[in-house]
Amino acid sequence: MKIRPLTIEGAFEVTPVQHSDPRGTFLEWYRFDTLASVVGHPLELAQANLSVSARDVVRGIHFADVPPGQAKYVICVTGAVMDVVVDIRVGSPTFGQWESVRLDDEDRRSVYLAEGLGHGFCALSSRATVAYLCSSTYRPGHEHGVHPLDPELGIAWPAATPLLSEKDAAAPSLGDARAAGMLPLYDRSA
């Protein structure tokens, strides 16, 4: 397993070693000890989510109140997505920046993102199934979003007409979320 830091502090791309033979393929897509040795602490698992999306569906940009926040470990089980990590931490040197990683059922990469980062993805295949391991459970009223098509973010979604949920379409811009005090603060000691 290779773990590569992304340009946004607290986000990592994880590439597994795949073992294939005529029967199929085996891989370890998550190892708590390997991830902990890189990120400096274990990912405490509290919830697992599964999302199935049609082509051009954009989900996100989602985040949870900090504390406790919600770290995520994300993999695309079937199909392909463009997975996006957005630095929404006020005061971070990379505030407002984003980075994407293609997650698919061939390379089997995963993305880890720390508490306080925003997350979203766009389905690239006719059907894409994404699994998330989460460090905290869903807490209604403590989960938020930033509009994924916000021009200030400038995310280059690979969809001619992105399909959004009503909730995501109504999410505030990054600037409005910041002005409303919704965004987490960057903690230089983390």
Side-chain angles (χ1 to χ4, degrees), residues 22-142:
R23 299 169 300 151
T25 302
F26 173 84
L27 59 117
E28 293 177 342
W29 68 276
Y30 171 73
R31 285 276 310 249
F32 85 96
D33 54 343
T34 305
L35 183 66
S37 70
V38 173
V39 303
H41 57 83
L43 172 60
E44 295 187 23
L45 299 179
Q47 183 172 315
N49 300 332
L50 198 68
S51 170
V52 180
S53 302
R55 183 183 310 277
D56 296 340
V57 166
V58 171
R59 296 185 186 263
I61 302 299
H62 300 144
F63 64 98
D65 284 342
V66 176
Q70 189 180 64
K72 295 177 183 172
Y73 192 89
V74 184
I75 187 170
C76 184
V77 181
T78 60
V81 300
M82 180 180 104
D83 197 77
V84 175
V85 178
V86 181
D87 194 343
I88 57 168
R89 301 168 297 184
V90 175
S92 169
T94 55
F95 177 77
Q97 294 180 22
W98 60 275
E99 185 166 0
S100 67
V101 174
R102 180 185 170 94
L103 303 181
D104 60 39
D105 56 12
E106 293 178 24
D107 293 331
R108 304 280 184 196
R109 287 187 186 92
S110 298
V111 169
Y112 168 81
L113 57 147
E115 295 87 348
L117 294 175
H119 177 254
F121 67 84
C122 177
L124 304 173
S125 53
S126 61
R127 204 162 173 82
T129 303
V130 175
Y132 313 66
L133 302 178
C134 303
S135 65
S136 62
T137 59
Y138 173 73
R139 296 171 47 224
H142 298 273

Side-chain angles (χ1 to χ4, degrees), residues 154-170:
I155 298 172
W157 297 109
T161 306
L163 303 171
L164 306 178
S165 70
E166 287 182 26
K167 181 179 176 182
D168 289 345

